Amino acid sequence: AQSVTQLDSQVPVFEEAPVELRCNYSSSVSVYLFWYVQYPNQGLQLLLKYLSGSTLVESINGFEAEFNKSQTSFHLRKPSVHISDTAEYFCAVSELGGGNKLTFGTGTQLKVEL
Amino acid sequence: DAGVTQSPTHLIKTRGQQVTLRCSPKSGHDTVSWYQQALGQGPQFIFQYYEEEERQRGNFPDRFSGHQFPNYSSELNVNALWLGDSALYLCASSPGHGSYNEQFFGPGTRLTVL
C-alpha cells in the first residue's frame, strides 16, 4: 500500500520570500503525484500534477514541483509567496493500475505574513 | 458548469443516528469518490462508485455505505453514528476511473456528531 508523508505541519513565511513544502511517498509500484490546495471552509483544488514526461511541473500561479524518483519526493516550491497563498496544501498519490483513488498526506499549513 | 455540488453544507446529528449525504458530479463525469477529512488530517478514501456499483473501498466499516444513481449522482450513508464520525465529507468526481483521471472535489459537508 502507498503512503504519503508531509513532515512540516506548519510553514510560516514572510510575503515575497521563497517557500518549499516537502512531500515524500512510499509505493511498491509507479505512481502519479498531485498537489492540492484547500482554502478555509472550501474543498480541494488541484494545484499541479505529475503523470509522466518532464519531472518539473508548474502551476498557473507560480508554484512548481519536481518529481524525484530516487528520493521518492515531490516537493512544492514557489520563489515568491503572496498573502493569498495562505492555505492548507496536500500532497497525494495514485498508483498506476490502481484506479484514481488518492492517498493524501496530512497536509502543510502555509501561513504568509506581512 | 456548476462543478461538483454537495448537500447539505452542514449537519448536526447525535450518536446512534443515521445520516445521508448527497453529491452531484461535474457535468460529463461518471465516477464519484467519497473521502472523509477529520480535523487537522488529510482526506481518507472511503469508496468509489461507477456504473452504479461500488468498485473500490478504503478501510472503513460497513456502517458506511453508498449508492450511485443512473444520472451519476451519489449518496453516502452512515449508520450508528459515533463521535469519531465528525468530519468534513468530500465528494470528488472524475471522467472515468483510470489512474490518470483527475478528480474534482466539491466543497464538502461538515458533519458534527454530538
Side-chain angles (χ1 to χ4, degrees), chain A residues 38 46 95 97-100 102, chain B residues 35 37 48 56 94 98-99 103:
Chain A
Q38 186 175 38
L46 181 66
E95 291 189 335
N100 62 349
L102 292 169
Chain B
Y35 293 81
Q37 185 180 13
Q48 183 179 79
Q56 279 193 301
S94 55
S99 307
Q103 293 194 41

Side-chain angles (χ1 to χ4, degrees), chain A residues 32 34 51 94-102, chain B residues 30-31 33 48 50 56 94-103:
Chain A
Y32 292 136
F34 307 83
L51 301 182
S94 65
E95 291 189 335
L96 269 68
N100 62 349
K101 174 187 76 171
L102 292 169
Chain B
D30 62 357
T31 299
S33 303
Q48 183 179 79
Y50 59 89
Q56 279 193 301
S94 55
H97 49 271
S99 307
Y100 48 86
N101 287 123
E102 179 182 338
Q103 293 194 41

Side-chain angles (χ1 to χ4, degrees), chain B:
Chain B
D1 183 4
V4 180
T5 60
Q6 293 185 244
S7 63
T9 305
H10 295 86
L11 204 53
I12 299 175
K13 292 286 187 179
T14 56
R15 283 173 292 176
Q17 284 189 310
Q18 178 263 344
V19 69
T20 297
L21 311 181
R22 295 176 175 82
C23 171
S24 291
K26 188 176 169 66
S27 178
H29 289 187
D30 62 357
T31 299
V32 173
S33 303
W34 288 92
Y35 293 81
Q36 180 195 66
Q37 185 180 13
L39 196 63
Q41 300 296 315
Q44 298 283 323
F45 175 77
I46 302 174
F47 44 51
Q48 183 179 79
Y49 278 82
Y50 59 89
E51 296 179 351
E52 301 181 46
E53 291 191 17
E54 182 183 299
R55 301 294 183 170
Q56 279 193 301
R57 189 179 183 92
N59 188 27
F60 280 81
D62 292 343
R63 298 187 297 110
F64 290 77
S65 64
H67 189 79
Q68 186 179 38
F69 299 93
N71 66 353
Y72 307 122
S73 66
S74 177
E75 289 182 348
L76 164 66
N77 301 292
V78 186
N79 294 322
L81 287 167
W82 67 296
L83 298 179
D85 294 329
S86 294
L88 180 68
Y89 288 85
L90 296 166
C91 170
S93 73
S94 55
H97 49 271
S99 307
Y100 48 86
N101 287 123
E102 179 182 338
Q103 293 194 41
F104 292 77
F105 284 81
T109 293
R110 174 75 62 187
L111 172 64
T112 301
V113 182
L114 302 176

Side-chain angles (χ1 to χ4, degrees), chain A residues 66-84:
Chain A
E66 186 161 19
F67 170 52
N68 187 319
K69 189 174 182 179
S70 63
Q71 297 187 5
T72 60
S73 68
F74 191 55
H75 301 331
L76 181 69
R77 294 187 291 264
K78 189 171 186 179
S80 176
V81 296
H82 189 267
I83 286 286
S84 60

Side-chain angles (χ1 to χ4, degrees), chain A residues 1 3-4 9 11 14 16 24 28 30 38 40-41 53 67 72 78 100-101 103 113:
Chain A
S3 65
V4 177
S9 59
V11 174
F14 288 108
E16 299 183 2
N24 289 88
S28 57
S30 297
Q38 186 175 38
N41 300 314
F67 170 52
T72 60
K78 189 171 186 179
N100 62 349
K101 174 187 76 171
T103 298
E113 303 169 350

